[in-house]
Amino acid sequence: MKLVRLPALILSAFVVAMSVVTVAPSTVAGVSCPWMDTSHTAAQRANSLLSAMSLDDEIAMVHNSDDKWSYYGAVGHIAGNARLCIPDLVMNNAGQGVGGKQVDTTAFPAPIAQAATWDPTLEEDFGAHLGKEAWKKGTNVLLAPGLDTGRVPMNGRNFEYFGEDPYLAGVTAAAEVTGLQSQHVIATLKHYLMNDQETNRTTVSADVSERVMQEIYLPGFQAAVDAGAGSVMCSYNKVNGIYACQATKILTNDLKDAFGFSGFVMSDWRATHSTVQSANNGLDMEMGSTVGPYFTGALKTAVQHGEVPRARLDDMVFRILRTMFRVGLFDHPTPAEPSASHANAETTGEIQFARTIAEQGIVLLKDRGGLLPLTGTGQSIAVIGEAASGAGALKIYNGAGSAHVPLFGSKSDVVTGLTGITQRGATNDDSVTYSSGRSIPAAVSAAAAADVAIVFAYDVSGEGVDLPSLDLDQASGSCGKGGCTYQASRQNELIAAVAAANPDTVVVLNTGGPVLMPWAGKVSGIVEAWYPGEQMGKAIARVLFGDVDPSGKLPETFPRKMADLPTRTAARYPGVNGHATYSEGLLVGYRWYDQKQITPLYCFGDGLSYTTFDYSGLKVIKASGGGATVSFSVTNSGKRSGAEVPQVYVAFPSAAGEPPLQLKGFDKVSLAPGETRKVTIGLDSRAFSYWGASGWTVTAGKYGINVGSSSCDIRLQGQITMAG
Ligand code: NOJ
């Protein structure tokens, strides 16, 4: 028999698990389940329950229970155990609303739009709304948030993630986790780790240095773990040659030992590749749309033969149970099947909230001559483009794949851009015409005859396939269950022709991430609305007409051309011989453009408002624990109310070998015209640390503190000296 060395944390959990507490018995449905006593801690209750479980009971907890399961319209299920008062674990996809086969749930804006709000308070509310809907539907484990990094802007799932910066992604995910779990639903961080492309996702190895992994790819997960996330989903790909779901380094050393993750690791659907190796290296639950095959009978046999120590199995189950107790799954059971799965979970509050996130995430990129907002009355507006009317069919109200929230049941249909503009325009006595743009001459005549032309352009993105290019003409098509297929379009030509016919042309983009804009200099307005959820048309219209001030900021850099991308070589993306080499190192997103002095079309953090903001009075002082406190004032110097997102970028001493600027803090402040607000942002010691040979290290020297409205629009500069 092979002796397996268990990591310290697993053994200590085992010791805790075995020190069973005596709790007062309580009876549920005629069954005696002492662990239902809520006066004990989650760990005590889990220990008590674990001690009552047989080997078979434990094995049943660590794998999907049913083939092609669709109970409650969900995508995964671990059957409860009535004898032990254990509720079912019902899992569903969730990044942009409760998905799967679920009906009557709200289609919220895509996660990339959520990140563009730069508003963790709003994101926490989103988590709570999402959790509430899930719970009503009988789901108590949501497979979100997604935290892979926007390393490759063509990644078909970037819409499911929070952009290219680990700090912004981590803060956003942490907020969602807090909101979601407040509703007694477990959050699942995915896809751990570096599932940064869909091309060859089940075979590719993401090859990365330890420093880059620690500084770019892990911090978002760490922030969300710190917020208490109950579950982590390991990914399909390999990390440095080892399948993520059986890699001790990332599962046990980084996640469980270094970050202190106390929850459980589940595999992505069929991302488990072994029994003994996966179990001993840190996987706690095998998931898929079928049962097993690795953590079923094979795991039982491995435990009986000592290949997987019983202590490891106990630890797997203990982690699941403790999380279920901690998040409240035992004490706040979901409504009973089957009525819950068919009830309409969506309330007016949720619909309204979906609109609010969409509004807050919309990014105004260009507004030549103050064409926007459209405050005039009696204007003629030509709305152009298939995306303006076909959002439902094109699947651009949210992205495609497992995260897609379908529109069926009694749920109202998507409010399209055309509907939103027509309804809102009517209140200004504006007249709206529509041209699909399939005939460019027809669109041109409509634009020429109108005061303002609004062209909707789009790309499609979904799971399983990357976009062929950031060129809009190659990035549109249609998405179905099997992913998206791409067909050539003439969107660039359409926009250029419309802009030539009418200089007062505004382009509204419904894209899952950055796109190229060869026509950017020709149009008057550009609005990035992402995949904005079912209330998209209302949100877009409210921004265009100035009912709400645009305050979203880009969570990803928009390049001028494909050749500017950091991952422009085949070795980096999509990889050669099964390896994607992350040789751009730390230079992901804006870090690359800054270091290489390549001017993007739009920068990370960019986003205009209908008002203007002035910055003044920067002060940087040391804080305890090796951090700093940055304070400054922001004044609304324009004539309208608006919100600004001041961003703090740290520049390390050159000896540290870091990229020029790194986001380490931000805030979002709403200001009335003329109002000034003092903003204070705390930076902890990690903001001044890089990953060196012996872990997190502070280089002695002067650190630049750059405060601005975007990574390219630094308004205030200061310094702070740190001792090494
Ligand atoms: C595979 C996807 O990668 C994952 O994100 C999803 O949660 C599962 N399928 C379940 O649908």
Side-chain angles (χ1 to χ4, degrees), residues 75 92-93 143 157 160 190-191 195 198 201 233 236 268-269 402 463:
V75 297
N92 218 333
N93 289 305
L143 308 175
R157 297 187 85 174
E160 284 192 59
K190 70 186 190 185
H191 308 87
N195 184 178
E198 288 300 284
R201 69 173 174 172
M233 181 192 289
Y236 287 121
D268 200 343
W269 270 227
S402 61
E463 186 175 337

Side-chain angles (χ1 to χ4, degrees), residues 241-391:
I242 302 174
Y243 276 115
C245 289
Q246 56 189 39
T248 326
K249 154 79 177 76
I250 60 166
L251 299 182
T252 299
N253 303 355
D254 293 320
L255 183 66
K256 293 182 177 175
D257 292 351
F259 298 172
F261 174 63
S262 68
F264 58 95
V265 178
M266 70 167 79
S267 70
D268 200 343
W269 270 227
R270 298 185 73 85
T272 311
H273 292 275
S274 60
T275 301
V276 175
Q277 203 180 342
S278 300
N280 288 337
N281 291 356
L283 181 67
D284 300 308
M285 182 187 279
E286 177 191 12
M287 283 307 299
S289 47
T290 52
V291 181
Y294 297 107
F295 278 18
T296 44
L299 180 61
K300 183 178 173 184
T301 308
V303 170
Q304 285 166 332
H305 292 173
E307 291 166 302
V308 172
R310 181 65 187 264
R312 176 74 260 272
L313 177 64
D314 288 345
D315 177 56
M316 291 154 77
V317 177
F318 177 71
R319 285 173 170 277
I320 298 164
L321 294 175
R322 177 174 51 189
T323 305
M324 291 171 71
F325 280 115
R326 177 169 65 82
V327 179
L329 273 60
F330 281 83
D331 306 327
H332 303 272
T334 55
E337 233 261 332
S339 58
S341 64
H342 303 298
N344 194 345
E346 192 180 37
T347 66
T348 320
E350 256 88 54
I351 295 171
Q352 179 95 8
F353 186 71
R355 193 196 78 196
T356 302
I357 311 181
E359 290 167 5
Q360 295 298 312
I362 288 175
V363 185
L364 177 63
L365 292 171
K366 179 170 185 179
D367 186 15
R368 186 168 61 196
L371 174 65
L372 296 174
L374 301 171
T375 46
T377 51
Q379 300 197 84
S380 55
I381 301 174
V383 174
I384 294 164
E386 286 178 79
S389 65

Side-chain angles (χ1 to χ4, degrees), residues 464-486:
V465 58
D466 290 336
L467 281 77
S469 165
L470 301 182
D471 182 339
L472 281 171
D473 289 351
Q474 296 176 49
S476 59
S478 59
C479 302
K481 273 199 168 157
C484 301
T485 49
Y486 291 92

